[in-house]
Amino acid sequence: MKPARFDYVRAETLAEAHAVLAESGGEARVLAGGQSLMPMLSMRLARPNILVDIMRIPGLAEIAVEGGVLRVGARITQAQLLAWPDLSTRLPLLAAALPWVGHAQTRSSGTVCGSVAHADPSAEIPLALLALGGEVELSSRKTRRRVAAQDFFVGTMSTARRDDELIEAVRFPLKTPGDGFAFREVGRRHGDFAIVSVAVLVRGDTVRVAIGGVADRPQARDFRTLDGAALADALDQFAWSLEARDDLHATARYRRDLVRSFGRDVIEEARRCRG
Amino acid sequence: MPRLTGDARHRVRFTLNGAAVEGEAEPRMLLSDFLRHVLGMTGTHVGCEHGVCGACTIEIDGVPARACLKLAVQVEGARLRTVEGLAPAPDRLSVLQAAFRRHHALQCGFCTPGILMSLDSLLRERRDADEAAIREHLSGHLCRCTGYAPIIAAALDAAATLRGAS
Ligand SMILES: Cc1cc2nc3c(=O)[nH]c(=O)nc-3n(C[C@@H](O)[C@H](O)[C@H](O)COP(=O)(O)OP(=O)(O)OC[C@H]3O[C@@H](n4cnc5c(N)ncnc54)[C@H](O)[C@@H]3O)c2cc1C
Ligand code: FES
Ligand code: FES
């Protein structure tokens, strides 16, 4: 299990990283924390010709509140975001979800943006970004744009990012007064990828439910405040619409059951935590 | 902008357990292999090579990290600590190592270097680490021998000793 050959570029500026991506014709890959890319290189599931290490580029290591949004730069690790002092009050959903991303020993290297770029269907950070209605900041040598999470995740490990673009930052909308949040996940062991994960945001009379681990990407639905049988029906429809499949870890039926029962419980919890 | 070509070896320099070290590596060489094969520091073990088992866990710039998920060329200029750096003197064990010995927290010893490095950093950051915190930290490691209970006992014992000493 050793990676195949590649050139390694330690980019010192954003412009250098952009240039390598632009000139490589899709043969280059960004190397951030390496917690997903390195296993893929070792297993030879990925065979890029060039790796561009972005972890020494100044200016990408910032966590900043901009208006109602937390902007998290590309070098910020999952551990650094967890240690942001206002996380539990201003981004309670992430405070609940981040401890589920791997282990302390991987969160210390793995980046927030890297998880979004990797777009694993059961990953917690993409799920939270979608539930909160966040955005991804992309830039290339010639362009810069923001893409809503809703449009960014396209399929299993597939996103709207073009080969010459890198993610400079992701933007998480902060809690507004009265919001309620909750997150829960079922996996075989803590730190394993989710079989099903559920994130809920209650705002005004809308309940947004986002589900990870079932479809090929995280999926969210907005419901008007519902209760009892109406809520059960809505969750049941949502569960079926995700087109769950059987795999090594769980059957499709078990996944649908989890969406229904967890969905209800997590909505309850989010309502209780409003404030 | 340093560009290291894939078909050549390049010089890599960093600090290992307080001493400056250097060696040569192709870009694709894993840090775990660099430590063991180039530098001859075989305390860091290698199990799965994809980040799951924790045997290769070391400390890079003060935080725990998997050596099998880093390239040697990535740690240019960094400060690394490995299990060889834990004992305060050749004939003395650290508080944590001594607790492992008292509690029989290792059998074959394959997982031990990684677990020691993780727990060492946890106990440094959080003297008050309780059993739940220790268990959570251990979730990043696999041990096929001990059943984990003696490891938890050793970590709690070491934490109590360290609290008493400070
Ligand atoms: C044992 C283990 C358990 C794990 N468990 C979980 C888990 O439960 N949940 C979870 O979500 N993840 C989990 N992960 C993966 C997580 O740790 C990774 O950190 C994350 O998926 C990728 O972030 P990274 O910074 O490590 O990115 P890398 O591995 O460096 O990169 C991943 C991919 O994203 C691209 N990329 C990275 N950054 C950028 C950028 N700024 N712009 C453009 N492209 C970029 C890379 O080119 C690559 O294709 C686990 C990993 C391990 C080893
Ligand atoms: S060898 Fe690195 S985690 Fe298993
Ligand atoms: S002591 Fe043998 S694997 Fe842990």
Side-chain angles (χ1 to χ4, degrees), chain A residues 1-12 16-17 20 31-35 38-39 41-44 50-51 53 55-56 99 102-109 190-191, chain B residues 1-7 26-30 33 37 46 48-52 57 63-66 68-71 73-78 118 136-141:
Chain A
M1 291 244 305
K2 310 292 177 191
R5 275 186 181 160
F6 48 77
D7 290 0
Y8 168 87
V9 178
R10 188 180 298 124
E12 279 156 4
E16 286 176 358
V20 176
L31 174 62
Q35 304 300 291
M38 289 299 298
L41 293 174
S42 284
M43 293 190 248
R44 306 213 176 180
I50 308 171
L51 287 192
D53 185 347
M55 296 304 278
R56 305 211 188 190
H103 311 282
Q105 300 85 352
T106 64
R107 290 193 294 268
S108 52
S109 292
H190 188 94
Chain B
M1 159 175 65
R3 180 176 186 136
L4 312 181
T5 50
D7 54 3
E26 285 181 14
R28 69 189 185 121
M29 182 177 253
L30 303 178
D33 288 337
H37 303 162
V46 173
C48 65
E49 285 190 329
H50 58 270
V52 175
T57 306
V63 294
R66 307 292 205 219
C68 74
L69 298 185
K70 296 280 177 212
L71 300 168
V73 293
Q74 261 179 295
V75 298
E76 175 73 31
S118 269
E136 202 198 317
H137 224 66
L138 276 177
S139 78
H141 293 272

Side-chain angles (χ1 to χ4, degrees), chain B residues 105-112 115 142-146 151:
Chain B
L106 64 151
Q107 289 178 26
C108 78
F110 198 89
C111 66
T112 314
I115 294 183
L142 296 176
C143 173
R144 299 289 81 168
C145 300
T146 63
I151 299 178

